[in-house]
Amino acid sequence: MDVYSAQITNLVEQLSHLPGIGAKSAQRLAFHILNMSEEQVAGLSGAMMAAKKNVRYCKECCTYTDGEICPICANPKRNHKVIMVVENTRDLAAYEKTGKYDGVYHVLHGAISPMAGVGPNDIRLSELMVRLQQDVEEVIVATNKNLEGDTTATYISKLVKPLGIKVSRIASGVPAGGDLEYIDEVTLYRALEGRRDM
Ligand code: ZN
C-alpha cells in the first residue's frame, strides 16, 4: 500500500522522472506544489505546456527558439562568417553571457558517443554542413572537453577542413569533463580567445 493517496503518488512519480530529482526531492517538490496557490500552479503548468508546444529548432543554428529564426541568427550585427559549434542551448547561453562573442552558433544537441550509441547522424551535423556552403571563414568547435566532446571535435575538423574553412578548438582553460554552463564567464572568454587551429 502506498503511503500517499493515488494523486499525490502520481505527482511524486511524474516529478521523479526529471533529471537530478530523486525520490526525496520529488516528494519535497510535490508538497511544495500542493502548498502553492491554484494560480501559481496554473502558471507553472501553463509555461511548461506553452514552451513544449511553441519552442522549436532555429532554422539556421538549431538552437531552441520561439520563432523560425532565433534572435542571434536574425541579428545583422553578428558576424555570420564565424560559427561556434556547441553541444546544447545551455552552452550557447554560457558563451552569450560572456558578452564578448559576436559570431553565430550551431547547436548539435548532443555529442558523438559510440559507447552510448550516438553517431554523427544522431546530432545536428548535416545542418552544419549545409550552412558551410555559404560564406564562412571559421568554425570554432566548443564541444565539451571530455571523450565525447573531443571525438565530436575531431570528426567535425575532418569534415570541415577539406572545405578550406579554418577550424579551431577552444583552449584548455575549460576543465576536462567540465560542463560549459558551470564555468565562469572570464574562464570561458579566455578559452575562446586562446582557441587553437585544429
Ligand atoms: Zn539561430
Side-chain angles (χ1 to χ4, degrees):
M1 201 183 97
D2 283 320
V3 184
Y4 302 123
S5 72
Q7 303 232 358
I8 297 175
T9 301
N10 185 31
L11 181 57
V12 170
E13 201 194 309
Q14 295 296 329
L15 290 166
S16 69
H17 293 155
L18 296 170
I21 305 293
K24 276 190 182 167
S25 298
Q27 288 178 49
R28 195 167 47 80
L29 284 171
F31 286 104
H32 178 79
I33 290 168
L34 289 175
N35 282 320
M36 285 161 67
S37 72
E38 207 164 304
E39 218 171 31
Q40 286 172 317
V41 177
L44 175 64
S45 61
M48 282 159 58
M49 283 307 293
K52 185 64 201 163
K53 259 191 198 159
N54 301 318
V55 173
R56 65 194 87 172
Y57 293 133
C58 168
K59 277 196 167 166
E60 283 281 317
C61 71
C62 301
T63 194
Y64 286 122
T65 189
D66 294 356
E68 294 271 287
I69 300 279
C70 77
I72 296 169
C73 289
N75 186 347
K77 285 180 184 156
R78 305 291 294 230
N79 181 358
H80 289 252
K81 291 182 180 180
V82 177
I83 299 176
M84 189 198 291
V85 180
V86 292
E87 290 187 16
N88 54 54
T89 296
R90 298 191 311 275
D91 290 348
L92 180 158
Y95 276 102
E96 274 303 281
K97 272 192 217 153
T98 68
K100 298 275 171 51
Y101 176 68
D102 72 344
V104 292
Y105 296 90
H106 189 83
V107 181
L108 295 172
H109 294 281
I112 298 171
S113 172
M115 297 269 284
V118 181
N121 294 330
D122 299 315
I123 58 178
R124 303 255 150 182
L125 263 182
S126 57
E127 287 86 347
L128 174 66
M129 297 314 288
V130 169
R131 292 178 76 187
L132 298 184
Q133 287 166 12
Q134 293 155 21
D135 187 11
V136 174
E137 285 169 358
E138 183 180 359
V139 171
I140 303 168
V141 184
T143 49
N144 284 343
K145 290 271 178 182
N146 53 27
L147 181 62
E148 292 79 14
D150 287 341
T151 304
T152 308
T154 306
Y155 191 89
I156 290 173
S157 171
K158 280 186 187 152
L159 284 178
V160 177
K161 265 191 186 167
L163 304 174
I165 297 168
K166 184 181 167 183
V167 189
S168 57
R169 179 91 166 102
I170 51 165
S172 52
V174 176
D179 267 335
L180 295 180
E181 57 177 323
Y182 296 119
I183 297 161
D184 71 89
E185 283 128 55
V186 177
T187 306
L188 262 194
Y189 176 59
R190 287 205 185 119
L192 175 59
E193 285 291 287
R195 65 185 183 271
R196 297 208 186 103
D197 289 359
M198 283 188 83

